[in-house]
Amino acid sequence: MASYTSHEEKDFEKFLQCKGAALVLLNVPVHTEIGIDMHSWTIGPKFKGINLIPPGLHFINYSAVSKYGETAPATGFFHYFEPNDVLVKVYQPATEEFKDESPEQTERVKINLQSLRGELGPYPSELWRRWVSLTQKIDRRHLESVLPLSGMVSSVPAMVPVDDPNSSSTSNSDARKRLKTHQSNCGNEASTSSSMEDSSPSQQNNANNSTLPLQTNKITTTMSIDEGKVPQSVCNDSCSSQRTFNKSSTPSTIIEDMEQCTSKSQITELNVAKMVQNPSHNELCSGQEKQMRSTAKRLINEGLPELVPVAGLDFRWYELPERTHKAGATPAYITAVCIDPTPILDDLIRHLGNEQWLLSELQLSFVVFLVGQSWAGWERWKRLIGLLCSAETLMLRAPHIYSDLMATLHYQIHEVPEDLFVDIVEQNNFLAASLAQLFFNIEDNVASLPALLVQRAQKFRTHLKLRFGWSFDFDDSDEDGPVVVELEQW
């Protein structure tokens, strides 16, 4: 990505001095992790917030740290800063949350803002372009329509029992839907259990962990603002700067760490009580399912309930159908939608009210995962990529969306560590497979598409091949195609 020239840097600094916003955070405990967009700090005793924030959309996140140095899961919120805006939040130790300050106190802070300048850290302007490239398509109205009702994005949402009145009705319904799906698919597990048992452990690990959460290039820095002095750079020699992604941690070690939590996380996806109440299914289910049932009995004895997110903490994404067709659809329609899922995206567009909001949702889901560390964002992003790359009819009808799609993906893949694709996802690389389908559709419709889209696709394809070694050369030999027999031969 291109960097600022010295002239542009000076102009940008002058602009921020005149129009930059400020975030004032009061009563924050020392050593709390505070972040904005792509950067975070472990704060010192003089920290009061961040200033020189460029106007626009930003994501503020924080993690409480215990007296033993243990860091709580990240929580954050989006905020649109207007020019010269001042946002004042006060930390609540009892709930470990930031709340809006009273209007009277907020006004006093604005009046005395100049006296706080020495205790406000500067926004890391060197990361501004990266953040804009990831969020420039996010529409404010769309953002407000899909965010959790609480307005907070939690990497690990608070959980309550499924029958608790505080549980999310959506999550409650989803939990019971998962149970129904599990019971209906239980017999199907038996047909695949033998092949899984015969496969190697490494193959099973790859199958079970093909959608592990990606590590990110988010930067963390220790910042202590003492004696009223603001550091010239938030990442200088006196700061301990490190990436959240540890390059010494290979994907295999990540898998080993997550395997310790697998059985517990799987149990929360099922209604434990009903699993135990249907012992007849044990003969039909795989060995893995039998082990889960055994664990379920133990959990029942310990009195552990099924848990779902607290109401107001889950995203309000428009629910995309699990199947590509509705009940009663003709075989011809089912085949057509499986090949080209444009009808599914058309349904989403009708709900959104604007086809450009497809890109807004794509960018939002990626950012929610990248900086909000939310699994919901990753799942949504993955599903949208698969649908968009296969929707040939939508591409022909709205080629401008696909031109912007490739630009969006170009910036997004720069935030993903390369070894993640090579060591974990390579066995089931959904992104490479989806892009291969997209490039094939473009090649197959060159005469009907704008030259700009075709050129951008070729450049993006070349870039992916150089960076990741992905090959998108299509074989026209048709070796695996159906054999056509002329009737005259018989």
Side-chain angles (χ1 to χ4, degrees):
M1 188 180 301
S3 59
Y4 283 120
T5 65
S6 80
H7 181 69
E8 289 174 329
E9 286 178 355
K10 290 179 180 179
D11 288 345
F12 188 57
E13 289 174 2
K14 290 180 180 178
F15 170 76
L16 293 181
Q17 291 290 344
C18 297
K19 300 293 184 181
L23 170 66
V24 179
L25 303 174
L26 304 176
N27 302 335
V28 187
V30 175
H31 303 310
T32 300
E33 290 187 7
I34 300 291
I36 183 168
D37 302 340
M38 310 291 292
H39 204 99
S40 64
W41 304 270
T42 299
I43 65 169
K46 296 292 185 177
F47 177 84
K48 289 292 188 296
I50 304 167
N51 70 343
L52 303 180
I53 300 174
L57 176 65
H58 294 275
F59 183 77
I60 295 91
N61 62 88
Y62 58 94
S63 297
V65 178
S66 71
K67 61 181 180 180
Y68 303 107
E70 298 173 338
T71 304
T75 303
F77 58 91
F78 286 95
H79 184 77
Y80 274 90
F81 285 93
E82 302 295 338
N84 301 121
D85 192 11
V86 178
L87 176 64
V88 183
K89 296 275 188 176
V90 60
Y91 187 77
Q92 305 289 334
T95 58
E96 296 184 345
E97 295 177 343
F98 280 101
K99 299 294 184 181
D100 291 331
E101 187 56 284
S102 64
E104 297 80 10
Q105 181 65 15
T106 299
E107 191 61 32
R108 282 194 291 267
V109 169
K110 291 180 179 180
I111 294 173
N112 298 295
L113 186 62
Q114 288 300 325
S115 64
L116 292 175
R117 293 291 185 186
E119 298 173 300
L120 301 178
Y123 179 88
S125 57
E126 67 275 10
L127 302 177
W128 174 235
R129 279 194 172 184
R130 280 175 60 191
W131 177 250
V132 170
S133 67
L134 296 173
T135 59
Q136 59 185 341
K137 297 294 182 181
I138 297 179
D139 185 273
R140 186 170 187 172
R141 291 170 298 168
H142 170 247
L143 172 65
E144 293 171 350
S145 69
V146 300
L147 278 179
L149 291 174
S150 65
M152 305 302 294
V153 177
S154 302
S155 58
V156 182
M159 309 291 282
V160 293
V162 66
D163 294 322
D164 190 286
N166 293 323
S167 65
S168 167
S169 59
T170 302
S171 300
N172 198 318
S173 174
D174 290 344
R176 301 193 183 282
K177 188 185 299 182
R178 289 194 299 269
L179 171 65
K180 185 176 180 180
T181 303
H182 162 71
Q183 291 176 335
S184 64
N185 291 338
C186 195
N188 295 335
E189 292 284 345
S191 63
T192 59
S193 61
S194 59
S195 61
M196 285 294 292
E197 291 170 356
D198 295 337
S199 63
S200 65
S202 62
Q203 290 173 327
Q204 294 182 14
N205 281 342
N206 287 332
N208 293 333
N209 297 282
S210 60
T211 57
L212 290 178
L214 308 179
Q215 299 295 322
T216 69
N217 289 341
K218 184 179 176 181
I219 300 173
T220 60
T221 306
T222 299
M223 181 174 72
S224 177
I225 303 179
D226 295 320
E227 300 178 359
K229 296 180 180 180
V230 178
Q232 295 298 321
S233 170
V234 293
C235 187
N236 55 25
D237 295 338
S238 64
C239 299
S240 60
S241 176
Q242 63 179 15
R243 288 180 178 231
T244 301
F245 174 73
N246 184 359
K247 292 189 178 294
S248 64
S249 298
T250 63
S252 59
T253 61
I254 297 174
I255 294 175
E256 291 171 2
D257 292 339
M258 294 193 67
E259 281 178 341
Q260 300 175 4
C261 303
T262 300
S263 61
K264 184 176 180 181
S265 63
Q266 288 173 327
I267 290 300
T268 61
E269 293 294 319
L270 305 171
N271 187 310
V272 178
K274 292 189 177 181
M275 288 173 62
V276 178
Q277 292 170 4
N278 290 280
S280 60
H281 285 289
N282 285 340
E283 297 178 0
L284 300 176
C285 296
S286 65
Q288 184 183 18
E289 290 292 329
K290 291 180 180 179
Q291 183 179 2
M292 290 175 62
R293 290 184 182 280
S294 175
T295 306
K297 292 179 180 179
R298 177 175 59 81
L299 292 179
I300 283 293
N301 293 333
E302 295 175 359
L304 298 182
E306 182 186 5
L307 301 178
V308 294
V310 173
L313 294 181
D314 48 348
F315 275 83
R316 295 173 290 162
W317 309 114
Y318 178 70
E319 186 175 357
L320 296 171
E322 293 296 329
R323 298 188 303 172
T324 56
H325 59 277
K326 298 180 180 179
T330 64
Y333 178 82
I334 295 174
T335 301
V337 175
C338 287
I339 296 174
D340 183 352
T342 296
I344 297 177
L345 289 174
D346 283 341
D347 190 34
L348 176 58
I349 291 171
R350 281 191 295 271
H351 172 77
L352 295 176
N354 188 334
E355 62 185 15
Q356 285 292 338
W357 283 13
L358 287 174
L359 297 175
S360 175
E361 188 144 323
L362 187 71
Q363 287 196 340
L364 175 60
S365 58
F366 185 80
V367 167
V368 163
F369 164 69
L370 184 72
V371 296
Q373 303 175 28
S374 171
W375 183 257
W378 165 251
E379 290 292 336
R380 188 66 172 187
W381 183 76
K382 180 179 176 181
R383 185 75 193 280
L384 289 173
I385 290 294
L387 292 173
L388 284 167
C389 290
S390 302
E392 184 176 8
T393 302
L394 179 62
M395 180 187 67
L396 292 171
R397 191 180 71 210
H400 59 282
I401 290 180
Y402 284 79
S403 183
D404 291 338
L405 170 65
M406 281 181 283
T408 296
L409 289 176
H410 171 80
Y411 292 119
Q412 288 179 342
I413 63 174
H414 278 78
E415 304 301 332
V416 179
E418 296 180 27
D419 63 341
L420 188 67
F421 290 106
V422 176
D423 295 329
I424 292 182
V425 191
E426 187 179 30
Q427 299 299 321
N428 184 24
N429 195 330
F430 84 92
L431 182 57
S434 298
L435 290 174
Q437 182 63 52
L438 174 62
F439 294 142
F440 177 81
N441 288 341
I442 292 175
E443 254 193 27
D444 207 35
N445 295 279
V446 170
S448 304
L449 294 172
L452 177 62
L453 173 58
V454 176
Q455 293 170 4
R456 182 166 287 184
Q458 185 58 45
K459 290 181 180 179
F460 187 39
R461 182 172 166 178
T462 302
H463 173 74
L464 293 172
K465 186 173 183 179
L466 292 175
R467 178 165 185 182
F468 300 112
W470 297 347
S471 177
F472 300 102
D473 297 327
F474 306 112
D475 184 9
D476 295 329
S477 60
D478 205 25
E479 291 182 0
D480 299 324
V483 177
V484 179
V485 179
E486 299 294 341
L487 294 179
E488 298 86 62
Q489 298 178 5
W490 302 90

